[in-house]
Structure formats: C-alpha cells, structure tokens
C-alpha cells in the first residue's frame, strides 16, 4: 500500500532544507564578549539545524552559545526560551542547562549579520558529562532515563505558550507529514515496511490521539541529548536541546525516548520496558497511553528513517552526522514489526503492573 500526501512542503521542511550563512569562530567570540560579557575561546560543535559553540573561559568555566537557524520563527524561539526558564524555576534539581543574561538583562540577543540575516543568540551553562551514546547500555541506565524524563515532564506540567502548537517536522503526532518522503526510500523492503507503519498509524493511532493527555514535552530525548556522569554512567547528569519542544500527547515524550532503547533481538523492548516502568512510577500513565505506546514508538522510528534519509540527500556534506540514528531506527522498526500483534502492548503493560484487558 502506498500512501501519498497532497500537501506541499511545510515551513519546517523548508527550514531544514534551507542553507544559511554561518557564524564563524570569531563571530561567536565577539558576540560572547560584546553581548554577554564573556571573554572566551570558542569551538564549533556538531549540530543539524542551528549552530552551537562551546565557550571556554580562562577561569575554567564553560558555556554553550546557541545560534538559531535564521528561518526559525521568533515566536518559536520565545516558546523554547520561556519553556527553559520555566524548567529553571520549577525545579532547581532538574539536570537542565540554565540561560545566561546579556549585559542589558535579556535572555535572547538578536544578531543582525551580513545580507540582512537575523538570528537569535542564547548562551547556556555547560553541563559536564559523557553523551549517552558513548556509554555501555545497562538496565539501571534505562531506569534512570525514565526517572529523569518523568521529572522533566512533571516540571513542564501546566506550562503554556501561544506557540506551543507550532508545526514541527519531528512531531510524531503528525506522522502523516512523512507520506511524500517515503517514496524516496530506495530499498523496496524498507519502503514497504515504512508504508505499513504509516498505514497503521493513520488507521489505529491518529484517531485515538485527541483523547490523550497533552502538554509541552521535550520531544527529542535521543542519546545525543542526554549526558551521564562519567564516573557513574547510570546517573543522568543533563538533558539538553529544547529545539524540538512542542505541545503533544504526554506519552509521546516517552515514546521518543524508548525508540532509542530498542535492542536488535527477538525481545527488542526489554530495556525500553524498564524505562517505561520507572517513568510510570513517578508520573503514572493511563491505560490508553500504555496501549498506544508501541505504535507511537514505531511512529518515531518512521520519522527518523524518513527525515534523516531525506536530509542526508539535501546536505551530503553533513551526511554522517544526519544519518547517525538511521540504521538503528530501521533495525528497531523491523524488530517491532516482527512481534506478534499485541505482544508489545502486553510487555509494556506488564512492566507498568497493569492488565489492559481488566484495568483496576
């Protein structure tokens, strides 16, 4: 079955595809001093859409300068900024970076560059740790991830912003946006798997989403956005990158995290189930949320293979970074699809101590 969309490319797709003039190291250092009062040495960090610079001061302290893509809507920038400030004030123990004020007391500086290119500049505290993707996987680490995400989501409960429902390519509640990208998947078997996944989403998941709890969520808890303690890799030391935040079903946040925990085995959900169970202990899930979680995980995997495949063709110079999660996502999608109907739901239900057929 082939699903096609009649929609034209979204603003978000244009944002991903557009190439914008880049800030240089010298630019970053000048902005750090002139605007934020920081005399630093800057180093460019890897990123997909925006630009990030690691700032090092002579006294040993460090920050990150974040320069948004010029095509980003200023209202979206404000949404992300206000969400980060809300997290900073809601729970000081949350492992999230804090925003630094400019010399004149603002959290966002609008930088006007050559050819009228305008972008938002923010500086955040640098949190130390080892990226999750560089550490050995373990059961206790999966549990710690679930606990950290639950605390994050609880801190965001009640936060509202006029732009929270903005259009976002990486928003799996709108997975139908991927329809036109599936035709570009070269492998016929993989393309068929992707089309079946989207067809199931449209038939069984999309109609049920309006009945789920909604709030602003992180929406991108991938292993590149999580740091762990170098000495204790089972302790989460930082949750990073709020660039994909959106208002969506709460369980979507957990589905995104779990999509990166699947294993290449006949029991792909073992570690994901531990993450779900620990999340549920702190921020209890409802029965409809648990029942839809496996298909939401599959939808996130679908987004990963479709978007990264398309993006790699748009920007071959950044292909390695863009495709870093592509192969594992295909494996996870295939492993989930191989499970008997209802098995994934039952596994996650048992992990939460629930029986979906007879909820207490």
């Amino acid at each position: 079955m082939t699903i096609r969309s009649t929609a034209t490319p979204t603003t978000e797709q244009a944002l991903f595809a557009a190439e914008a003039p880049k800030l240089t190291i010298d630019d970053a250092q000048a902005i750090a001093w002139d605007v934020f009062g920081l005399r630093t040495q800057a180093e460019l960090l890897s990123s997909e859409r925006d630009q990030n610079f690691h700032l090092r001061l002579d006294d040993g302290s460090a920050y990150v300068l974040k320069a948004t893509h010029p095509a980003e809507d200023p209202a979206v920038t404000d949404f992300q900024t206000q969400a980060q400030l809300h997290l900073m004030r809601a729970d000081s123990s949350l492992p999230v970076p804090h925003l630094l004020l400019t010399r004149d007391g603002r959290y966002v500086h609008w930088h006007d560059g050559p050819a009228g290119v305008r972008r938002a500049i923010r500086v955040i505290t640098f949190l130390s740790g080892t990226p999750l993707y560089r550490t050995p996987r373990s059961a206790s680490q999966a549990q710690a991830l679930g606990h950290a995400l639950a605390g994050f989501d609880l801190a965001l409960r009640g936060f509202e912003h006029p732009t929270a429902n903005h259009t976002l390519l990486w928003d799996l509640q709108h997975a139908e946006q991927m329809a036109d990208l599936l035709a570009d998947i070269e492998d016929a078997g993989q393309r068929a798997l992707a089309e079946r996944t989207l067809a199931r989403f449209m038939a069984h998941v999309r109609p049920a989403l309006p009945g789920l709890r909604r709030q602003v969520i992180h929406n991108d808890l991938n292993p590149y956005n999580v740091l762990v303690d170098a000495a204790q890799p089972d302790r989460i030391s930082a949750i990073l990158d709020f660039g994909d935040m959106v208002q969506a079903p709460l369980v979507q946040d957990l589905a995104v995290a779990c999509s990166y925990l699947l294993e290449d085995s006949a029991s792909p959900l073992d570690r994901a189930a531990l993450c779900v169970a620990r999340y549920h202990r702190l921020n209890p899930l409802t029965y409809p949320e648990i029942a839809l979680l496996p298909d939401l995980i599959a939808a996130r995997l679908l987004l990963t293979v479709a978007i990264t495949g398309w993006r790699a063709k748009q920007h071959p110079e950044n292909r390695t970074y863009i495709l870093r999660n592509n192969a594992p996502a295909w494996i996870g999608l295939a492993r989930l699809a191989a499970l008997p109907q209802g098995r994934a739901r039952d596994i996650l239900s048992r992990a939460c101590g629930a029986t979906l057929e007879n909820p207490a």
Side-chain angles (χ1 to χ4, degrees), residues 9 37 40 49 75 78 84-85 94 106 114 123 182 205 221 230 237-238 252 254 259 267 283 292 304 316-317:
T40 71
R49 178 178 55 191
D78 184 68
Q84 190 164 358
L85 290 171
L94 280 176
R106 293 173 292 130
V123 169
L182 302 190
V205 181
L221 204 69
S237 62
Q252 177 170 316
L254 187 56
S259 72
S267 301
N283 193 11
L292 285 178
T304 300
E317 77 286 352

Side-chain angles (χ1 to χ4, degrees), residues 42-282:
E43 177 187 359
L44 182 64
L45 300 173
S46 296
S47 62
E48 183 175 355
R49 178 178 55 191
D50 303 328
Q51 277 189 284
N52 298 319
F53 296 87
H54 186 194
L55 306 178
R56 293 186 176 88
L57 281 67
D58 290 341
D59 64 4
S61 57
Y63 299 88
V64 174
L65 185 148
K66 301 180 70 67
T68 63
H69 193 289
E72 181 170 281
D73 184 345
V76 173
T77 302
D78 184 68
F79 162 53
Q80 296 166 3
T81 303
Q82 296 304 321
Q84 190 164 358
L85 290 171
H86 178 88
L87 289 166
M88 289 164 51
R89 296 160 180 161
D91 185 350
S92 60
S93 68
L94 280 176
V96 298
H98 285 206
L99 288 158
L100 191 70
L101 286 167
T102 63
R103 289 179 184 265
D104 58 0
R106 293 173 292 130
Y107 286 107
V108 179
H109 165 69
W110 289 97
H111 175 73
D112 294 310
V117 174
R118 197 166 196 253
R119 70 187 85 212
I121 306 290
R122 287 164 290 189
V123 169
I124 59 174
T125 53
F126 177 81
L127 300 182
S128 61
T130 302
L132 186 63
Y133 72 92
R134 292 182 180 171
T135 65
R137 296 183 170 191
S138 70
S140 54
Q141 188 183 83
Q143 292 171 328
L145 190 66
H147 183 86
L149 181 58
F152 186 97
D153 286 340
L154 284 171
L156 278 175
R157 181 178 292 175
F159 171 71
E160 296 180 354
H161 190 278
T163 317
N165 284 303
H166 69 110
T167 300
L168 183 70
L169 191 61
W170 283 97
D171 187 357
L172 69 83
Q173 66 182 313
H174 302 299
E176 66 274 7
Q177 295 180 117
M178 297 302 102
D180 285 340
L181 299 183
L182 302 190
D184 293 331
I185 299 173
E186 296 177 358
D187 184 276
Q190 290 182 332
R191 185 169 61 254
L193 174 59
E195 290 174 345
R196 289 195 301 272
T197 303
L198 182 55
R200 178 169 176 80
F201 174 87
M202 294 300 296
H204 300 285
V205 181
R206 192 75 175 89
L209 295 182
L212 302 182
R213 291 179 294 172
R214 295 175 60 82
Q215 68 166 69
V216 172
I217 61 172
H218 183 280
N219 196 47
D220 193 20
L221 204 69
N222 72 67
Y224 287 74
N225 288 339
V226 179
L227 302 180
V228 298
D229 190 303
Q232 303 177 61
D234 295 337
R235 188 181 76 82
I236 307 301
S237 62
I239 294 176
L240 307 174
D241 194 350
F242 304 146
D244 282 351
M245 295 185 85
V246 69
Q247 182 166 295
L250 171 64
V251 70
Q252 177 170 316
D253 224 8
L254 187 56
V256 171
C258 287
S259 72
Y260 298 95
L261 295 175
L262 302 187
E263 300 178 79
D264 187 10
S265 73
S267 301
L269 286 167
D270 287 352
R271 286 190 316 118
L274 295 172
C275 178
V276 171
R278 184 58 61 90
Y279 183 101
H280 178 70
R281 183 186 300 180
L282 184 60

Side-chain angles (χ1 to χ4, degrees), residues 10 16 31 39 57 67 119 183 201 274-275 288 291 303 311 346 353:
T10 66
F16 268 86
I31 294 169
R39 187 77 73 185
L57 281 67
R119 70 187 85 212
F201 174 87
L274 295 172
C275 178
L303 263 64
R311 282 280 293 157
D346 293 342

